């Protein structure tokens, strides 16, 4: 019994240890964008700065797309932890998710919309991009809580909400609504629904799916995987630990392979990336357990609890901080570019940590609403 309790404690600590690094990784990915996502005010070509481009390619291959699937997995695991999903329990879970997901989703999208609408004011006119379509009608503003494509005159396939990273919360809300069906399927067919959703997720590589459709497939696969582990009370330390050596080898191998494919065989990058996302989940969890078991690090409750706040708020400031640093220092070589971008990540995280600390100390009730704390 003591050994089982020890495993449970270590398992919970491993999940907590992952929260903050995963949030920082998302800040890094959104600060070092892919070539196609470079903001309009950037006046250089990545090809002219090979070392910086190599770093961007490293981030795209090793870090991009890794955090959110793990968050889905954790969400699925926690949702079904130690419960029998009766009708009453489902209603209770929905009520809880209104506070923990829906209300923060609305508030942070509203903040992003308010900041975006500042460009209407004449005093901010010179900060806007005249080449970008901006149509702030009431209907487009309301729709932007689901997808900002109409607000910015983009194709509907681009379906992030106005606070772009919150597509994760939006899709998670939809998955939560369907949890009774998911629960019954897993109870009846065990791991087969997970295999089916995995095949759909991998199959999306070869289909012309919108970002919205692909996002939902990601959500259902990783959430249901976590749900399966929780419903059947799987010991993740031992089951994932079985793949420790494989994940430690495959994760960097697939990452490097993905970087090579960018230059040599771009058509294979999606396949490699999907494989590495799955391996990345095993790798991240196994490394967290390994670090804790060997006492190389301990849980910092403050950092772990700040992860959701960083996730929902960083997009409001990271690009603006980068823009300020870019124009102040006017980087002209690889190393100055790296310094500016890396400094932007550090400053963004520090500002958000300081804000989180001040809210926690002086306005804890407001922080609870903003982060959906119970």
């Amino acid at each position: 019994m003591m050994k089982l309790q020890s495993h449970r404690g270590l398992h919970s600590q491993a999940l907590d240890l992952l929260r903050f690094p995963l949030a920082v990784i998302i800040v890094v990915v959104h600060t070092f964008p892919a070539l196609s996502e470079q903001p309009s005010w950037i006046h250089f070509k990545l090809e002219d700065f090979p070392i910086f481009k190599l770093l961007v390619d490293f981030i795209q291959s090793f870090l991009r797309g890794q955090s959110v699937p793990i968050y889905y997995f954790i969400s699925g695991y926690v949702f079904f932890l130690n419960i029998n999903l009766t009708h009453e329990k489902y209603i209770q879970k929905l009520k809880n998710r209104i506070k923990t997901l829906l209300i923060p989703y609305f508030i942070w999208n509203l903040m992003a919309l308010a900041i975006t609408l500042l460009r209407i004011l004449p005093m901010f006119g010179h900060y806007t991009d005249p080449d970008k379509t901006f149509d702030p009608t009431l209907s487009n503003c309301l729709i932007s809580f689901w997808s900002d494509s109409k607000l910015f005159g983009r194709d509907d396939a681009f379906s992030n909400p106005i606070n772009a990273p919150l597509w994760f919360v939006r899709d998670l809300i939809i998955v939560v609504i369907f949890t009774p069906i998911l629960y019954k399927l897993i109870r009846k067919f065990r791991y087969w629904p997970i295999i089916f959703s995995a095949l759909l997720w991998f199959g999306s590589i070869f289909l012309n799916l919108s970002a919205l459709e692909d996002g939902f497939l990601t959500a259902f696969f990783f959430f249901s995987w976590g749900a399966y582990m929780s419903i059947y009370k799987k010991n993740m330390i031992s089951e994932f630990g079985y793949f420790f050596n494989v994940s430690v080898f495959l994760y960097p191998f697939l990452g490097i392979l993905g970087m090579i494919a960018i230059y040599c065989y771009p058509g294979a990058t999606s396949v490699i990336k999907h494989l590495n996302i799955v391996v990345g989940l095993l790798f991240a969890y196994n490394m967290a357990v390994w670090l804790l078991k060997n006492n190389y690090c301990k849980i910092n409750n403050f950092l772990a609890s700040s992860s959701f706040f960083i996730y929902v708020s960083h997009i409001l400031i990271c690009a603006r901080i980068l823009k300020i640093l870019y124009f102040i220092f006017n980087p002209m070589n690889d190393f100055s570019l790296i310094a500016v971008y890396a400094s932007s990540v550090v400053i963004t995280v520090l500002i958000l940590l300081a804000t989180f600390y001040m809210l926690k100390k002086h306005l804890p009730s407001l922080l609870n609403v903003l982060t959906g704390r119970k």
Side-chain angles (χ1 to χ4, degrees), residues 178-197:
F178 287 95
T179 47
I181 298 174
L182 182 63
Y183 181 74
K184 290 180 179 179
L185 288 173
I186 294 175
R187 275 296 189 190
K188 185 172 183 178
F189 300 106
R190 297 182 67 87
Y191 51 78
W192 287 108
I194 289 78
I195 293 176
F196 179 71
S197 61

Side-chain angles (χ1 to χ4, degrees), residues 66-207:
Q66 300 291 149
S67 293
V68 168
I70 299 176
Y71 279 143
Y72 279 133
F73 180 91
I74 295 174
S75 299
Y77 184 89
V78 171
F79 188 92
F80 291 100
L81 190 62
N82 298 324
I83 68 163
N84 179 24
L85 195 64
T86 61
H87 176 74
E88 292 74 17
K89 181 62 70 172
Y90 172 64
I91 297 301
Q92 180 186 340
K93 287 279 187 179
L94 282 185
K95 290 179 179 178
N96 287 339
R97 291 321 184 265
I98 289 174
K99 183 175 183 180
T100 60
L101 294 177
L102 187 60
I103 292 176
Y105 179 82
F106 177 81
I107 292 173
W108 288 102
N109 272 310
L110 186 62
M111 287 186 190
L113 179 62
I115 293 173
T116 303
L117 290 177
L118 288 176
R119 66 178 64 191
I120 297 175
L121 302 177
M123 67 183 72
F124 294 103
H126 61 287
Y127 290 106
T128 62
D129 186 348
D131 297 328
K132 281 192 174 182
T133 303
F134 182 56
D135 187 16
T137 63
L138 178 59
S139 62
N140 287 347
C141 289
L142 293 175
I143 292 172
S144 71
F145 281 74
W146 176 268
S147 168
D148 66 1
S149 56
K150 290 186 179 297
L151 185 63
F152 294 108
R154 289 191 295 257
D155 186 88
D156 285 338
F158 189 91
S159 51
N160 289 333
I162 184 68
N163 187 323
L166 291 188
W167 68 268
F168 157 73
V169 179
R170 178 197 63 193
D171 294 359
L172 181 58
I173 292 171
I174 302 301
V175 174
V176 166
I177 292 173
F178 287 95
T179 47
I181 298 174
L182 182 63
Y183 181 74
K184 290 180 179 179
L185 288 173
I186 294 175
R187 275 296 189 190
K188 185 172 183 178
F189 300 106
R190 297 182 67 87
Y191 51 78
W192 287 108
I194 289 78
I195 293 176
F196 179 71
S197 61
L199 292 174
L200 287 177
W201 180 64
F202 272 101
S204 67
I205 300 170
F206 310 101
L207 301 174

Side-chain angles (χ1 to χ4, degrees), residues 148-274:
D148 66 1
S149 56
K150 290 186 179 297
L151 185 63
F152 294 108
R154 289 191 295 257
D155 186 88
D156 285 338
F158 189 91
S159 51
N160 289 333
I162 184 68
N163 187 323
L166 291 188
W167 68 268
F168 157 73
V169 179
R170 178 197 63 193
D171 294 359
L172 181 58
I173 292 171
I174 302 301
V175 174
V176 166
I177 292 173
F178 287 95
T179 47
I181 298 174
L182 182 63
Y183 181 74
K184 290 180 179 179
L185 288 173
I186 294 175
R187 275 296 189 190
K188 185 172 183 178
F189 300 106
R190 297 182 67 87
Y191 51 78
W192 287 108
I194 289 78
I195 293 176
F196 179 71
S197 61
L199 292 174
L200 287 177
W201 180 64
F202 272 101
S204 67
I205 300 170
F206 310 101
L207 301 174
N208 187 24
L209 298 181
S210 69
L212 179 63
E213 294 165 330
D214 185 62
F216 279 137
L217 290 178
T218 303
F220 273 97
F221 168 42
F222 286 95
F223 185 93
S224 61
W225 186 5
Y228 169 78
M229 300 293 288
S230 184
I231 291 170
Y232 285 99
K233 297 179 172 56
K234 297 292 183 178
N235 187 328
M236 284 172 54
I237 294 177
S238 61
E239 298 219 1
F240 280 15
Y242 181 78
F243 299 98
F244 181 88
N245 292 332
V246 174
S247 64
V248 169
F249 168 75
L250 275 184
Y251 180 67
F253 173 77
L254 289 171
I256 294 171
L257 195 63
M259 292 181 65
I260 295 173
I262 292 173
Y263 298 92
C264 302
Y265 192 29
T269 54
S270 293
V271 175
I272 296 170
K273 188 61 186 176
H274 274 61

